[in-house]
């Protein structure tokens, strides 16, 4: 009976501390005891296992058919009438006898095996629950409490007592945590390590910023504003591409808020990471221009085939375009999907001439053909090669040559 008490103590331990539903624990116990009973009494034995998880009680009932004396063929499924009437005098042949199986009917080794099997099964079931739960939560925001801080990672405990791992490379460089601190992150992936699930969380993932914006900005949460893309240099700078399908909503203004009120809490959560919110457009020239803000751009040469962009600007704007540590131009390249190179535009502004000034020499449709490819000024035409101008404007070679010659004459550029 002492072994049975140990078993019930094990049951109570899992009931109190393990994140397993009552019904699931009941099924585990039933399966364990049915397996043990089958091993002890054979496949044909008829048992009913009754588990009361709330009270920590377990009852095993054994059923055997009553047969005439001397006709018992299987003592595990049949009982002689003379034995049955010792239990209940009114029993008759053909009826079933129910007997309670007591723990003392099990050997000490069998009780120990049952207890160990219970521990193993419950732990396996709990691991499976954790894996399935977080497998479907990848990309979601989670919060917890810092339990341990190590050199290469931080151990976080969520609200259900599940262990989460925040590796060093998934921490924002300025992150400083101690035991007991509250922490938020996004579920990055779920791994199996040494047969146990390991939940990896991240604070550097672009998804973390996206989920924070969903939390803080109602229009994003409700789907009125869509986040098209997020790129980050964690702890330094981030760029978020947003779009609204409702013309009444300014997506940038709604995300930033009055005097930055809506983005302020996110800014501090990300350790003062600068966040540029950019209005989405399908016009790649305009998108690159917006992505390189606050720098002012003179003009852009796009190579769609090789996904490159040469951006020209005044010398005093170059440092703004590149940004501290080069983060601005790097993030702009990622956001636009083009490799961006910045060049100084040393032609003085007063030397440039609007292309419309040549309407006394050329028909307006000719000028419009140049403006359609982004050449609004005389210098912007000269930035492109003769062959590229012919190909992109779809004008006659002679017409393109005449325009180039006229511009060079106006700017006093020798042939």
């Amino acid at each position: 009976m002492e072994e049975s008490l140990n078993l019930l103590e094990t049951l109570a331990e899992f009931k109190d501390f393990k994140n397993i539903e009552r019904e699931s624990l009941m099924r585990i116990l039933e399966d364990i005891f049915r397996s043990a009973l089958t091993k002890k009494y054979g496949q044909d034995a008829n048992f009913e296992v009754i588990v009361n998880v709330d009270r920590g009680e377990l009852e095993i009932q054994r059923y055997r058919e009553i047969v005439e004396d001397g006709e018992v063929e299987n003592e595990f499924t049949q009982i002689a009438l003379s034995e049955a009437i010792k239990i209940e005098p009114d029993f008759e042949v053909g009826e079933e006898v129910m007997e309670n199986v007591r723990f003392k009917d099990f050997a000490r080794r069998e009780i120990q095996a049952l207890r160990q099997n219970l521990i193993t099964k419950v732990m396996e079931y709990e691991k499976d629950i954790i894996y399935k739960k977080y497998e479907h939560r990848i990309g979601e925001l989670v919060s917890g409490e810092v339990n341990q801080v190590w050199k290469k990672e931080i151990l976080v405990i969520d609200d259900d007592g599940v262990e989460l791992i925040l590796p060093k490379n998934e921490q924002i460089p300025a992150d400083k945590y101690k035991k007991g601190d509250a922490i938020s992150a996004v579920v990055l992936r779920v791994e199996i390590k040494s047969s146990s699930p390991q939940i990896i969380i991240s604070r550097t993932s672009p998804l973390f910023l996206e989920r924070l914006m969903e939390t803080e900005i109602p229009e994003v949460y409700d789907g009125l504003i869509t986040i098209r893309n997020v790129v980050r240099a964690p702890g330094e700078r981030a760029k978020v591409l947003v779009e609204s399908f409702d013309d009444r909503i300014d997506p940038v203004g709604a995300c930033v808020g009055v005097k930055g009120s809506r983005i302020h809490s996110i800014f501090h959560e990300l350790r003062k990471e600068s966040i540029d919110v950019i209005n989405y457009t399908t016009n790649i020239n305009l998108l690159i221009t917006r992505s390189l803000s606050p720098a002012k751009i003179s003009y852009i040469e796009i190579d769609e085939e090789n996904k490159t962009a040469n951006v020209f600007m005044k010398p005093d704007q170059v440092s703004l375009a590149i940004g501290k540590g080069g983060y601005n131009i790097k993030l702009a390249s990622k956001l636009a999907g083009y490799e961006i190179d910045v060049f100084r535009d040393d032609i003085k502004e007063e030397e440039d001439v609007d292309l419309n000034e040549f309407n006394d020499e050329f028909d307006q449709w000719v000028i419009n053909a140049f403006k359609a490819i982004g050449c609004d000024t005389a210098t912007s035409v000269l930035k492109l090669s003769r062959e590229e101008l012919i190909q992109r404007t779809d004008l006659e070679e002679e017409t393109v040559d005449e325009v180039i010659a006229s511009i060079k004459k106006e700017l006093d550029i020798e042939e």
Side-chain angles (χ1 to χ4, degrees):
M1 197 62 181
E2 183 179 349
E3 292 293 347
S4 67
L5 291 174
N6 290 338
L7 181 63
L8 293 179
E9 288 171 4
T10 304
L11 171 60
E13 175 187 345
F14 284 108
K15 178 177 73 71
D16 291 338
F17 300 110
K18 298 295 179 178
N19 185 30
I20 297 179
E21 294 178 355
R22 185 181 308 161
E23 293 78 9
S24 300
L25 183 55
M26 186 178 296
R27 286 196 299 269
I28 292 174
L29 285 166
E30 288 179 2
D31 290 343
I32 289 173
F33 276 95
R34 287 189 188 281
S35 177
L37 292 167
T38 298
K39 185 176 180 181
K40 184 177 179 65
Y41 295 104
Q43 292 282 352
D44 297 330
N46 184 11
F47 290 92
E48 183 174 353
V49 180
I50 302 171
V51 181
N52 187 324
V53 178
D54 289 331
R55 298 175 60 183
E57 294 179 354
L58 182 143
E59 185 178 354
I60 303 172
Q61 296 176 347
R62 177 186 183 187
Y63 293 89
R64 289 190 290 176
E65 182 186 1
I66 301 173
V67 297
E68 295 285 357
D69 291 355
E71 295 184 7
V72 176
E73 297 177 357
N74 186 338
E75 62 178 6
F76 296 142
T77 61
Q78 297 174 327
I79 184 173
L81 178 60
S82 58
E83 293 295 324
I85 60 177
K86 293 179 181 178
I87 301 171
E88 178 61 53
D90 296 335
F91 274 139
E92 297 179 359
V93 173
E95 293 182 333
E96 275 191 332
V97 173
M98 187 278 286
E99 303 168 276
N100 286 321
V101 177
R102 295 167 296 179
F103 280 99
K104 69 178 184 179
D105 295 333
F106 289 88
R108 181 182 180 87
R109 183 177 298 177
E110 291 173 328
I111 290 290
Q112 291 175 337
L114 281 168
R115 186 177 187 277
Q116 186 59 47
N117 199 12
L118 172 61
I119 294 172
T120 301
K121 291 290 184 181
V122 169
M123 291 179 66
E124 288 177 355
Y125 188 79
E126 186 187 33
K127 290 176 184 178
D128 189 54
I129 288 176
I130 293 172
Y131 182 84
K132 288 180 178 178
K133 173 185 174 182
Y134 275 94
E135 185 184 29
H136 295 95
R137 293 194 64 188
I138 291 175
E140 291 186 13
L141 199 64
V142 293
S143 59
E145 182 179 296
V146 174
N147 184 264
Q148 293 288 337
V149 179
W150 297 304
K151 185 177 181 180
K152 294 184 178 180
E153 60 190 22
I154 294 175
L155 176 64
V156 179
I157 305 298
D158 76 357
D159 296 335
D160 295 325
V162 178
E163 295 183 353
L164 313 175
I165 299 296
L166 179 63
K168 186 69 176 178
N169 63 339
E170 299 298 338
Q171 300 171 31
I172 297 172
D175 276 343
K176 300 294 180 185
Y177 286 103
K178 62 182 183 297
K179 185 173 182 178
D181 285 349
I183 188 170
S184 294
V186 72
V187 179
L188 186 65
R189 62 183 181 272
V190 181
E191 302 174 343
I192 298 296
K193 190 173 182 180
S194 301
S195 74
S196 296
Q198 190 174 68
I199 318 301
I200 307 299
I201 58 177
S202 172
R203 287 175 51 80
T204 62
S205 168
L207 279 173
F208 183 47
L209 173 51
E210 186 173 339
R211 296 294 174 261
L212 289 174
M213 292 185 69
E214 289 175 355
T215 302
E216 297 294 330
I217 304 166
E219 290 86 349
V220 175
Y221 179 81
D222 294 335
L224 298 175
I225 294 176
T226 301
I227 298 176
R228 297 296 299 256
N229 195 10
V230 178
V231 291
R232 293 178 64 193
E236 297 290 343
R237 194 169 196 139
K239 292 184 182 289
V240 183
L241 199 57
V242 296
E243 180 181 21
S244 174
F245 298 104
D246 189 336
D247 295 336
R248 298 170 298 177
I249 297 176
D250 170 21
V252 175
C255 289
V256 175
V258 179
K259 296 183 179 180
S261 57
R262 288 186 166 183
I263 212 78
H264 187 72
S265 61
I266 300 175
F267 170 74
H268 284 284
E269 177 67 35
L270 300 182
R271 309 303 184 192
K272 299 184 178 180
E273 185 175 309
S274 298
I275 304 170
D276 300 331
V277 183
I278 300 164
N279 201 354
Y280 173 76
T281 175
T282 55
N283 184 323
I284 190 62
N285 285 59
L286 183 55
L287 180 59
I288 291 175
T289 299
R290 290 173 176 174
S291 299
L292 286 173
S293 179
K296 295 180 180 179
I297 295 170
S298 300
Y299 61 94
I300 304 173
E301 294 177 352
I302 299 290
D303 184 345
E304 294 184 359
E305 183 178 351
N306 296 310
K307 294 291 183 181
T308 60
N310 294 332
V311 181
F312 294 85
M313 59 188 64
K314 302 302 177 186
D316 62 340
Q317 298 297 305
V318 172
S319 60
L320 290 175
I322 294 174
K324 180 183 176 182
Y327 292 123
N328 197 49
I329 191 170
K330 290 176 184 176
L331 294 177
S333 295
K334 289 182 180 180
L335 196 71
Y338 279 72
E339 184 179 342
I340 300 174
D341 288 321
V342 174
F343 298 91
R344 294 186 178 187
D345 177 17
D346 293 324
I347 298 177
K348 294 181 182 178
E349 191 172 343
E350 57 268 20
E351 292 179 351
D352 210 351
V353 180
D354 192 285
L355 213 58
N356 285 326
E357 297 295 325
F358 294 89
N359 59 7
D360 59 337
E361 298 182 46
F362 305 101
D363 292 333
Q364 188 62 43
W365 65 270
V366 174
I367 294 174
N368 289 341
F370 282 90
K371 294 176 73 174
I373 65 171
C375 296
D376 298 321
T377 64
T379 55
S380 64
V381 173
L382 297 182
K383 290 293 182 180
L384 301 180
S385 66
R386 173 181 178 273
E387 291 74 17
E388 189 172 359
L389 288 170
I390 293 170
Q391 179 185 0
R392 293 177 63 181
T393 61
D394 202 26
L395 295 172
E396 296 290 338
E397 293 183 17
E398 183 179 352
T399 302
V400 172
D401 289 338
E402 289 175 358
V403 172
I404 293 174
S406 180
I407 290 173
K408 287 184 176 180
K409 181 179 179 181
E410 177 68 25
L411 297 180
D412 197 21
I413 298 174
E414 296 182 2
E415 295 287 343

